[in-house]
Amino acid sequence: MTKSKGFYFSFDSFLALTVMIGVLTLVAQSSDITSDPLGAESVVYTDASTTGQDSLQIASQESFVEAFSSSEQEELLENTEMEEDDLERNIVDGITFMWANREFDYAEKTVENYFDSKIDDDYEYQLRITEENETTVYETSELPENPSIAASTSRLISGHRIDEPSEGFTARARATEATTNQTEVYTFPPMGGAREGGDLWIRRQFDLEEVESVKDATLHVSVHYGCNEADFQQLFINGQNIQSEFEEDHRQRDCDGFDDRGTAAYGTIEGDAIVDNLEEGENTVEMRFSNQEYGAYLHPGMRMEVEFEDVATEEASDLKTQSIPFNDMVAEEQGGSKTGGFAVNMFEIPEGSEVEEVSFSLRAEDIDQVYESHVADTDGFFGSGDGWNDDHFDETCRGETVSDIMVYFNDEELYTSGAPDDGEVYLDFDMDEDDLDVVEGTNVVTAYFNSYADCTWGTEETHIVGSYTDEENYSSVDTSYSQDASGLVFGEIDVTTTEEVGGSTENPKHYTEEFERDVQSSFLHIGKLFSASIEVGVDPFDGTEKEAFRSELARSVPSSLYIDPEFYSTPGENTIRMEDYEHSNGESTVQFVPESSLETTVRVPSQVGLGDLFETEEEAVEDSEKRLQEVMGDYAEATDIETDEITTGDQPYIWGPASVDLVIWSE
């Protein structure tokens, strides 16, 4: 097949003269103009016609180098098919060049920037290209059916794409099936109790749909126990004790004999020890602690990360509904120890979402009637229970107001009460009925039962009910929200991955990530040792950090925080700051660990359009499949590809004679 050394050109002067003789200028005028050629309307028409002719004539002679600033030229070189030599084209040829390349936005912008300076504000105008069909490139307003004055002037153009075959094969491709590498994160919300010698069981359940697709899994263990390693007694996955596999990568300990706070430890178990014990459907992780000092808790950062292969689909929904369970927890008194417990859970609301439902339920058993409501002060305190009672209250907490049951939503007190006679707690809260102040971003539910900070506790047993104990009536958060459906694009698939923040243990901790694609959602999984508070900010590398989350309540530090994509600059670098603001002076006992991770979801194209022209159909198909895999990158692999081949010329380009028409009118 031969290639045509094509070009855009104006007809030479002889042909142009011939065409001008044969082409009549379009004139819309009333009979008054014909009868009175020197009347006012005739003068206006003549002015409009002259303005149009002059403008198009100048645009046919002036080049982009002459007409536009260096920054405007640079913008065209970076964002269109124009090259340095193309800047020497005249304005009309350049506009048609961009239009032929389907760079409509820049063709339109060029018309507006150029002709606005040439045509008086008294006139409206329209520039259009007519080949087989008429296409408007730009217009200041819609051309009315009967304008009072209208004038049109035209210029003929023609050409072929340079150095391309004038006919051939081109193809597009779409992945009808693709395998993606995904990561699912199952967080373990912080909770705990069993103070000074009590036993504590915590259980977390999660579902796996296809365990055979699991490639790898890592259990991040973030716990707080006493001063002896044996206090962290057992760790089960589906009944298999894997405690011996746990190695502490980071540890902080306060066991100097005075007001001991015990041990904060962080480590991971990964590989076969996890994967071999996972099951299809429901999975259960159980942990048992027995403390001699302080209490036992799950700390921020406890989570299971499961990597798997998934067959991607293009199905998308603008409605997201989720039910997020609380962990199941039982704290048991042993030999005069103390019980009580707290639980934290979170949910996200993306910016701009329409919230359909937010509700949550709290179920607890064996809650003691210790204090209905009291204030610790220097004169002692009095409640509905035992009055001043060192067995249930720490004197260091004077000034705190505490109750047997305390529920907070986003740091705001939602409910406080003494325990019921039977110790059974059934609480339900609803967005509308309880006027919950739901915010865009991260929302947190925190509940305390016979346990607030280190101030108060219960006796015998405390049970916060999760799905492990009761599959129907358990503590959970239920949400439903919808997002703008315009963001759901056919031909794209969602891929979720995680990246460790790395570095060292420190407070505050900074993590910089360069995003190559737009982020659809993100969650920061915070790993901490000792923990008191949390504040997270995002700096999109312009020096204007914005606060993404801050908590004010004792122990109300979620394992996972939602960071809305609106906080990021994408593509580009962004820095996330994590800080325990109560201990940000370098205190060694409050640290973030490098195994903290950022979970992001991005959209990956699963189709490509028509490409270049090739001499054979096979070459065109091979090119489309190659381009498809390039845009999918490392995120996905197309396993079934559908292609469309076209045996024609290079469609986006002008082939035969066409005209550029400049129409000027006045209302």
Side-chain angles (χ1 to χ4, degrees), residues 379-390:
D379 297 325
F381 70 57
F382 303 92
S384 62
D386 301 326
W388 178 264
N389 189 333
D390 279 339

Side-chain angles (χ1 to χ4, degrees), residues 109-319:
K109 185 177 180 180
T110 301
V111 173
E112 180 182 11
N113 290 345
Y114 185 80
F115 285 97
D116 272 5
S117 64
K118 300 293 186 291
I119 299 174
D120 193 274
D121 291 341
D122 292 337
Y123 298 111
E124 304 293 322
Y125 70 90
Q126 176 192 82
L127 188 97
R128 62 195 183 206
I129 294 176
T130 304
E131 194 175 12
E132 293 182 358
N133 299 306
E134 184 179 276
T135 302
T136 298
V137 180
Y138 174 77
E139 60 185 3
T140 54
S141 65
E142 186 175 353
L143 178 63
E145 291 186 7
N146 296 300
S148 60
I149 295 296
S152 175
T153 186
S154 302
R155 180 192 165 201
L156 293 179
I157 55 172
S158 183
H160 291 284
R161 183 177 178 183
I162 298 174
D163 290 333
E164 288 296 327
S166 59
E167 60 182 23
F169 297 87
T170 183
R172 55 180 170 234
R174 180 170 69 91
T176 56
E177 183 177 282
T179 300
T180 61
N181 298 316
Q182 304 268 16
T183 302
E184 185 79 23
V185 181
Y186 304 93
T187 61
F188 290 62
M191 74 182 321
R195 186 175 175 85
E196 298 177 4
D199 288 346
L200 180 73
W201 281 96
I202 295 178
R203 305 174 180 94
R204 167 77 161 94
Q205 293 181 308
F206 59 92
D207 290 330
L208 280 177
E209 293 184 3
E210 295 184 11
V211 71
E212 292 183 358
S213 66
V214 174
K215 298 172 59 179
D216 198 5
T218 302
L219 179 63
H220 292 253
V221 181
S222 182
V223 294
H224 188 160
Y225 57 86
C227 291
N228 190 318
E229 284 81 357
D231 290 345
F232 183 15
Q233 294 186 324
Q234 294 172 319
L235 172 59
F236 295 90
I237 293 184
N238 296 322
Q240 297 296 316
N241 192 350
I242 60 170
Q243 169 66 25
S244 61
E245 300 287 338
F246 174 63
E247 294 184 7
E248 297 178 357
D249 297 322
H250 310 282
R251 172 198 283 180
Q252 292 178 329
R253 176 166 285 178
D254 182 4
C255 295
D256 57 8
F258 177 76
D259 194 25
D260 293 340
R261 293 195 296 164
T263 304
Y266 194 103
T268 58
I269 306 174
E270 55 189 80
D272 293 343
I274 303 296
V275 175
D276 291 349
N277 290 304
L278 294 176
E279 298 177 356
E280 191 112 349
E282 188 174 80
N283 291 261
T284 302
V285 176
E286 303 176 73
M287 289 157 283
R288 184 180 181 183
F289 304 85
S290 183
N291 293 330
Q292 300 305 313
E293 303 87 12
Y294 205 62
Y297 314 106
L298 296 189
H299 266 194
M302 183 88 185
R303 65 191 185 276
M304 175 83 79
E305 293 188 2
V306 180
E307 300 177 24
F308 60 96
E309 286 188 351
D310 184 41
V311 177
T313 66
E314 293 177 331
E315 296 179 2
S317 172
D318 61 345
L319 181 66

Side-chain angles (χ1 to χ4, degrees), residues 557-579:
V557 180
S559 277
S560 177
L561 296 174
Y562 175 75
I563 301 180
D564 196 279
E566 292 296 326
F567 281 91
Y568 301 126
S569 173
T570 56
E573 285 190 344
N574 298 264
T575 296
I576 299 173
R577 174 182 59 87
M578 299 164 269
E579 183 170 356

Side-chain angles (χ1 to χ4, degrees), residues 3-25:
K3 292 191 175 185
S4 303
K5 189 69 174 181
F7 54 90
Y8 288 92
F9 62 90
S10 299
F11 279 46
D12 61 25
S13 58
F14 176 77
L15 179 57
L17 181 59
T18 303
V19 171
M20 289 176 64
I21 294 172
V23 176
L24 294 178
T25 302

Side-chain angles (χ1 to χ4, degrees), residues 258-497:
F258 177 76
D259 194 25
D260 293 340
R261 293 195 296 164
T263 304
Y266 194 103
T268 58
I269 306 174
E270 55 189 80
D272 293 343
I274 303 296
V275 175
D276 291 349
N277 290 304
L278 294 176
E279 298 177 356
E280 191 112 349
E282 188 174 80
N283 291 261
T284 302
V285 176
E286 303 176 73
M287 289 157 283
R288 184 180 181 183
F289 304 85
S290 183
N291 293 330
Q292 300 305 313
E293 303 87 12
Y294 205 62
Y297 314 106
L298 296 189
H299 266 194
M302 183 88 185
R303 65 191 185 276
M304 175 83 79
E305 293 188 2
V306 180
E307 300 177 24
F308 60 96
E309 286 188 351
D310 184 41
V311 177
T313 66
E314 293 177 331
E315 296 179 2
S317 172
D318 61 345
L319 181 66
K320 181 174 182 179
T321 300
Q322 55 185 346
S323 182
I324 310 166
F326 284 80
N327 301 330
D328 188 276
M329 188 207 84
V330 177
E332 299 175 339
E333 179 184 28
Q334 300 291 335
S337 63
K338 302 161 184 176
T339 61
F342 76 96
V344 179
N345 216 339
M346 66 78 64
F347 65 92
E348 82 283 357
I349 298 294
E351 185 169 328
S353 299
E354 182 176 343
V355 181
E356 308 287 343
E357 176 197 6
V358 170
S359 62
F360 62 93
S361 302
L362 293 170
R363 305 285 185 260
E365 300 172 346
D366 303 314
I367 307 304
D368 297 329
Q369 289 183 328
V370 180
Y371 305 108
E372 179 179 356
S373 182
H374 58 262
V375 177
D377 56 35
T378 55
D379 297 325
F381 70 57
F382 303 92
S384 62
D386 301 326
W388 178 264
N389 189 333
D390 279 339
D391 291 337
H392 297 282
F393 189 79
D394 193 313
E395 190 174 351
T396 61
C397 293
R398 293 179 181 276
E400 296 281 358
T401 301
V402 293
S403 299
D404 294 331
I405 305 168
M406 305 170 66
V407 181
Y408 289 79
F409 184 75
N410 290 340
D411 292 346
E412 296 294 328
E413 182 181 286
L414 186 61
Y415 178 88
T416 60
S417 175
D421 292 339
D422 60 2
E424 306 291 314
V425 177
Y426 293 86
L427 297 175
D428 294 294
F429 301 92
D430 180 81
M431 174 180 69
D432 297 322
E433 294 180 7
D434 297 286
D435 195 24
L436 301 180
D437 186 16
V438 179
V439 300
E440 293 181 336
T442 299
N443 294 263
V444 181
V445 177
T446 311
Y448 306 91
F449 300 99
N450 292 148
S451 172
Y452 181 77
D454 295 332
C455 299
T456 183
W457 45 85
T459 59
E460 296 183 354
E461 183 174 300
T462 302
H463 184 191
I464 300 176
V465 180
S467 59
Y468 178 86
T469 300
D470 190 331
E471 294 184 355
E472 295 184 0
N473 298 307
Y474 58 89
S475 304
S476 67
V477 177
D478 296 280
T479 68
S480 179
Y481 59 83
S482 58
Q483 295 178 275
D484 185 0
S486 64
L488 305 173
V489 180
F490 179 80
E492 294 185 340
I493 54 179
D494 286 350
V495 179
T496 301
T497 58

